Amino acid sequence: MRCVLFYHSLISDWNHGNAHFLRGIASELLARGHQVSIFEPADGWSLQNLKEGHGEDPIKSFFSTFPELESRFYDPAHPHLKENLNGADLVIVHEWNDPDLVQRIGEHRLGADYRLLFHDTHHRSVTHPEDMAVYDLSAYDGVLAFGEAVRRIYLDKGWSRRVWTWHEAADVRRFYPMTPDRADGDLVWIGNWGDDERTEEYEEFLLGPVRALGLKTSVYGVRYPQEGIHRLAESGIDYRGWLPNAEVPRVFSRFKITLHIPRRPYVEALPGIPTIRPFEALACGIPMISAPWPDVEGLFRLGKDYLQAADGAEMTRHLKRLLASSNLRRSLAHSGRETILTRHTCGHRVDQLMNICAELGMEAEPENRALYSNAAN
């Protein structure tokens, strides 16, 4: 099967968490013997910000870390769809593409025999529905929504007739427990600022508990305003800026605990969507404590895979208890990784994608059967 994927970026994960999942899915498809072509705009904001802030070295590092992956740049004004979609069996278009491109690919689909899916991995369907309503999905065969709440929105608003819940997942080829090369502290939080979508939560669930316990803490992420960086420093937290996602497992290994502090839309309007960080953290075997987050889809086992704090005081108690008990930390780490390996790897999501292809009347056979056989063994 030839898969053609139009995404914002494969190469850059600067403020672009979907690159994590895309890399894992593409690697899994290739390992199974499928052909994968990924296209990203030449002027994408994530890649441009990465270059401006860090130069060309992260790009070189990407290709050495993911040697099997490549991305083809296209001019959004001239995407050359006839050439780039030639021979495609399955085409997936991410929601962070320009509505004009989404429509043009749909129009191309009308004269072709591939299957066409739209992939939504953001909260705009509820926070900015007017932005999503402009996408013309009339020629699309369906939508992949990264949570049941998003799936229902598409159906309720009539944006698509066929929608599947397709959660993100961990790329366990690269996210697994590592032997630490050094110890950097007690607590690590990896996440971007969030456009004031979790500013209050930072104070209650991160800054306050760190001050109360005097924890050695590091924070990684981008788009932190000076005020935010100042607040971290006042709490004794080391702000370390952008972290290439491929380096996350190594960083996790150097700390005892991490946190999940979801953006407010995923708590209040889109319950059941954890985004990709918890999948990756649990895959790496680091104990995790979450701020309030309703796991209404039952993705994880509360109290066994992770702990949850209702407020800052309970977060402080959880942190103190975990730091005092290596047995409890090991138990959480083992259970969390067990759940990932059982239910939430990119392999599981590709299995689901193959089932969706079957529903759409596709055989979805690997291009290279020998490669798929070797990968399976």
Side-chain angles (χ1 to χ4, degrees):
M1 178 174 71
R2 184 190 177 211
C3 306
V4 179
L5 314 176
F6 280 84
Y7 279 72
H8 177 70
S9 185
L10 172 77
I11 297 171
S12 174
D13 56 41
W14 190 97
N15 199 43
H16 177 49
N18 186 253
H20 311 184
F21 184 54
L22 173 59
R23 293 166 181 173
I25 290 296
S27 294
E28 181 69 24
L29 286 167
L30 288 167
R32 296 187 184 201
H34 297 286
Q35 182 180 347
V36 179
S37 299
I38 300 172
F39 294 91
E40 65 179 270
D43 61 350
W45 52 261
S46 179
L47 184 58
Q48 296 308 311
N49 277 283
L50 180 62
K51 289 179 178 179
E52 290 173 10
H54 304 276
E56 297 289 333
D57 285 347
I59 300 171
K60 296 175 183 177
S61 178
F62 165 80
F63 287 112
S64 63
T65 304
F66 300 90
E68 76 276 21
L69 301 183
E70 66 173 325
S71 197
R72 306 179 188 184
F73 293 109
Y74 71 90
D75 179 355
H78 305 285
H80 300 294
L81 297 182
K82 183 177 180 180
E83 174 187 347
N84 291 334
L85 293 173
N86 183 45
D89 299 300
L90 174 67
V91 180
I92 302 178
V93 182
H94 188 243
E95 115 296 304
W96 212 260
N97 279 295
D98 188 90
D100 179 66
L101 177 70
V102 173
Q103 180 177 341
R104 292 173 68 177
I105 294 176
E107 292 169 350
H108 184 277
R109 164 72 174 87
L110 294 174
D113 61 359
Y114 55 80
R115 298 296 183 268
L116 178 59
L117 297 172
F118 188 68
H119 187 197
D120 192 332
T121 62
H122 202 264
H123 57 64
R124 289 188 298 161
S125 60
V126 67
T127 56
H128 295 91
E130 68 281 0
D131 291 347
M132 302 307 298
V134 303
Y135 286 101
D136 181 1
L137 304 180
S138 58
Y140 283 63
D141 294 287
V143 172
L144 303 172
F146 80 143
E148 176 63 18
V150 175
R151 188 186 78 88
R152 290 198 303 267
I153 290 172
Y154 271 82
L155 294 174
D156 292 345
K157 292 185 177 294
W159 292 343
S160 179
R161 290 175 296 175
R162 303 188 76 171
V163 190
W164 294 269
T165 298
W166 200 45
H167 279 285
E168 295 180 312
D171 177 5
V172 294
R173 285 182 172 83
R174 296 177 174 93
F175 283 78
Y176 55 85
M178 291 187 176
T179 301
D181 54 355
R182 66 174 187 264
D184 278 357
D186 302 308
L187 176 66
V188 62
W189 154 250
I190 302 174
N192 302 326
W193 179 251
D195 299 318
D196 293 326
E197 293 171 346
R198 52 187 168 200
T199 305
E200 296 175 8
E201 289 82 353
Y202 283 145
E203 176 61 39
E204 182 169 8
F205 295 100
L206 174 63
L207 305 185
V210 166
R211 289 194 302 268
L213 297 174
L215 303 183
K216 187 176 181 182
T217 303
S218 292
V219 166
Y220 293 84
V222 302
R223 300 184 68 225
Y224 278 69
Q226 282 303 123
E227 178 188 355
I229 295 173
H230 179 67
R231 288 172 59 191
L232 292 174
E234 282 187 326
S235 299
I237 296 173
D238 183 12
Y239 173 61
R240 300 193 176 189
W242 175 68
L243 177 68
N245 197 52
E247 295 296 318
V248 167
R250 181 67 65 194
V251 169
F252 277 150
S253 75
R254 297 168 179 164
F255 291 85
K256 296 176 181 177
I257 305 171
T258 192
L259 302 182
H260 174 42
I261 307 177
R263 297 172 188 251
R264 210 164 299 129
Y266 295 119
V267 176
E268 298 176 350
L270 295 174
I273 300 176
T275 69
I276 200 165
R277 289 293 187 193
F279 292 116
E280 293 177 339
L282 297 184
C284 290
I286 183 171
M288 185 181 78
I289 309 174
S290 179
W293 170 68
D295 183 13
V296 297
E297 295 186 52
L299 300 176
F300 310 114
R301 299 171 293 183
L302 178 59
K304 189 171 184 180
D305 297 338
Y306 71 106
L307 301 180
Q308 183 162 287
D311 51 32
E314 187 172 22
M315 176 64 79
T316 302
R317 290 195 297 271
H318 281 331
L319 285 167
K320 186 175 182 179
R321 184 161 64 102
L322 269 178
L323 289 170
S325 174
S326 59
N327 287 337
L328 180 55
R329 294 199 304 273
R330 280 195 295 269
S331 176
L332 283 173
H334 174 80
S335 295
R337 179 162 169 78
E338 179 183 62
T339 292
I340 295 298
L341 294 178
T342 302
R343 303 178 57 194
H344 301 307
T345 70
C346 287
H348 291 109
R349 300 304 184 259
V350 169
D351 287 343
Q352 185 185 0
L353 183 62
M354 295 300 102
N355 290 335
I356 291 170
C357 288
E359 284 187 50
L360 295 173
M362 297 176 59
E363 294 186 2
E365 294 293 331
E367 293 282 322
N368 189 330
R369 289 180 177 273
L371 180 60
Y372 182 33
S373 177
N374 290 336
N377 294 327

